[in-house]
Structure formats: structure tokens, C-alpha cells
Amino acid sequence: MFENSVFSRTGQSWKLYIAILLMLIGSFAPLWDGSGINWTWGTVLAIVGYVYGTVFIVCPKCSNRWFWSAALDATLYGPLFRAPACPACKQDFGPK
Ligand SMILES: [Zn+2]
């Protein structure tokens, strides 16, 4: 998934998956009584997932926090998922 994205080119897809997973669990687990997760914990999990993604997915070259930058400027989401280059320092992580 997103093979040509900048975070999979830099080996950070797993961090994105953890972030998405936490946000999904936090958002949907409280809907089921058997999950043992109430809305308070669901909200905490979702926020932890979001913060994890924004803080730990960084450019190996310039340390730009890609998803934090994208949270501030939504036009960056497209390039993050489609282009193998850092939107901040333009370092290309694509295949040579
Ligand atoms: Zn960079």
C-alpha cells in the first residue's frame, strides 16, 4: 500500500499503520460493550494514535514531521501519499 509514498520509501509505513489502527480502535471499539473500551479510553487511544503519527513519522534528512506539517497545511497530504520526496527539504527517497 502506498509503495511510492515518502513514508514507505523511508521504511515508516508501520508507524502510519499503528497510528491508523489506534485511531480506528479508539473510534469504533467503544461502540461494542464487549470491547471493554469506553468512550474516554477510546478518545485517549485515538489521540495517542494521532499524536504518534504526527510526532514519530519524520524526514530522515531534515527531521520535518510530515503529518504535523500536513495537519497545518492539508495540501501536503496528497504529495505525502503519492510522491517519494520530502515536501520540506525536497530530498527524493525514490528508487535510484
Ligand atoms: Zn526532509
Side-chain angles (χ1 to χ4, degrees), residues 59 61-62 64 66 86 88-89 91:
C59 175
K61 183 148 188 283
C62 70
N64 181 262
W66 289 324
C86 174
C89 67
Q91 172 72 34

Side-chain angles (χ1 to χ4, degrees), residues 23-69:
M23 286 190 275
L24 286 178
I25 293 172
S27 304
F28 293 105
L31 295 172
W32 286 277
D33 291 334
S35 70
I37 296 175
N38 62 26
W39 284 109
T40 307
W41 281 110
T43 306
V44 169
L45 278 179
I47 291 173
V48 166
Y50 184 77
V51 170
Y52 183 83
T54 52
V55 171
F56 289 103
I57 298 176
V58 296
C59 175
K61 183 148 188 283
C62 70
S63 301
N64 181 262
R65 292 189 172 98
W66 289 324
F67 283 91
W68 176 244
S69 300

